[in-house]
Amino acid sequence: MTEKKPIVRCAIHPAVGVARVGNAPAHEYYLAPELPGRAADPGPGGFKNAKGEVRKEAARFRVYGYDEDGRVVQEITAEDAEITWEAHLANRKAAWYQFQNAMDLKQYAMSTTFRNGTITGASRAALVIDPGARRISGRGTSGARYRLDGHIRFGGGSPIQVPLGELRTDEKGRLLVLGGDGKSASSTNQPATTFANNDGWYDDTSDGPVTARVKLGGRE
């Protein structure tokens, strides 16, 4: 049997994880596919609960250790190391450009303007739903402190709380990222007139980076 080489670096997999929204209670989540080409498998309960609410699909992240040749030595879990995860998810749609077409099409890109263009200056910062970075560690960790509750405010209106999801860890200390409830709404109860560029509207989708600090065998 070939002896395993020492671990010299760690990496998070998957490099990009996708969590799907759902309005069922968070504890009823199922896991997103973790292998290419695999369909989602919510188990015997299906994609909805008994009330007809859509279950959330959680993205699970793992840490793997690599040797000096770039080969995977093993998955690193809470049994092997102290892992502290950090995720910083946000929703910047209301403060970003209107969608016309892809902005990286060079000469074919269509000119556009900001969404909610009547809100100017420093007030535009309140259009970003950003609950800040959250850290989580340990096995089977969850709770209110790991919820990703942000706020949005349109001009002189009152702040609106927007839950973007939450973080958890599984029994091995892997990170679970759960998305929002799949809610979109108008801050002034106005109807939507386009599929993407409705001023005063917001939703609870988000994205952002996931990182991990790993303490393994006295090294970090």
Side-chain angles (χ1 to χ4, degrees):
M1 180 180 295
T2 304
E3 184 177 351
K4 292 193 297 185
K5 290 186 176 182
I7 293 172
V8 298
R9 70 177 182 91
C10 297
I12 297 172
H13 291 281
V16 177
V18 178
R20 298 184 183 276
V21 297
N23 62 339
H27 70 271
E28 297 182 1
Y29 73 87
Y30 63 94
L31 292 173
E34 297 185 282
L35 293 174
R38 292 287 181 88
D41 181 10
F47 292 99
K48 296 183 178 181
N49 63 16
K51 296 181 179 180
E53 298 167 326
V54 178
R55 296 167 59 200
K56 299 178 188 291
E57 183 177 282
R60 180 161 63 179
F61 294 88
R62 307 169 185 246
V63 173
Y64 285 88
Y66 289 77
D67 65 20
E68 61 184 4
D69 298 319
R71 296 188 178 93
V72 174
V73 177
Q74 67 180 72
E75 181 187 359
I76 299 173
T77 69
E79 297 176 353
D80 312 297
E82 180 182 330
I83 304 172
T84 302
W85 295 94
E86 181 175 291
H88 190 168
L89 305 185
N91 179 327
R92 303 177 184 276
K93 291 180 183 178
W96 195 235
Y97 291 97
Q98 293 186 2
F99 177 77
Q100 305 299 340
N101 68 347
M103 298 178 71
D104 60 354
L105 293 178
K106 297 182 179 180
Q107 69 268 30
Y108 301 107
M110 299 171 63
S111 61
T112 187
T113 56
F114 284 118
R115 294 186 175 113
N116 299 292
T118 59
I119 300 173
T120 60
S123 296
R124 291 194 63 81
L127 297 172
V128 177
I129 306 169
D130 185 357
R134 293 287 189 276
R135 291 181 179 177
I136 190 170
S137 59
R139 310 184 197 197
T141 306
S142 63
R145 64 183 295 187
Y146 306 110
R147 289 183 54 83
L148 306 172
D149 293 341
H151 294 82
I152 190 169
R153 184 172 65 246
F154 293 88
S158 299
I160 302 168
Q161 181 170 295
V162 185
L164 298 182
E166 65 179 80
L167 306 182
R168 297 182 174 218
T169 60
D170 69 8
E171 71 283 355
K172 296 285 189 179
R174 306 178 185 110
L175 176 66
L176 302 175
V177 179
L178 282 68
D181 293 340
K183 175 184 177 181
S184 62
S186 166
S187 61
T188 55
N189 297 316
Q190 296 299 308
T193 57
T194 78
F195 82 100
N197 301 317
N198 297 286
D199 285 354
W201 278 71
Y202 63 93
D203 63 45
D204 60 7
T205 60
S206 63
D207 63 6
V210 169
T211 58
R213 175 173 292 180
V214 181
K215 294 182 179 180
L216 176 66
R219 295 176 298 155
E220 183 174 333

